[in-house]
Amino acid sequence: MVTAEDLPLHCPGDKAPVWSMHPRVFLDVTKTGEVKCPYCGTNYKLAPGTVLAGHGH
């Protein structure tokens, strides 16, 4: 689950293992509440009740 502290969201994350690295891509989870990484297919979902103040909403 993605929270406001994870924004801006990017994949791979800072703690991803080296073997799973691909080019960093920023993903907008705020529009629909979920997004899929085009490189590795990881699904990210916005945590219920997440307040997006300061992120354009």
Side-chain angles (χ1 to χ4, degrees):
M1 290 292 196
V2 177
T3 65
E5 291 79 33
D6 299 316
L7 300 177
L9 177 64
H10 59 82
C11 187
D14 294 331
K15 296 180 182 177
V18 174
W19 62 264
S20 69
M21 291 295 168
H22 57 67
R24 179 176 283 183
V25 59
F26 286 86
L27 304 166
D28 189 358
V29 71
T30 63
K31 288 185 181 179
T32 63
E34 61 183 280
V35 67
K36 185 176 183 177
C37 176
Y39 286 101
C40 66
T42 300
N43 287 308
Y44 296 93
K45 291 186 179 183
L46 199 57
T50 299
V51 177
L52 298 174
H55 292 285
H57 296 272

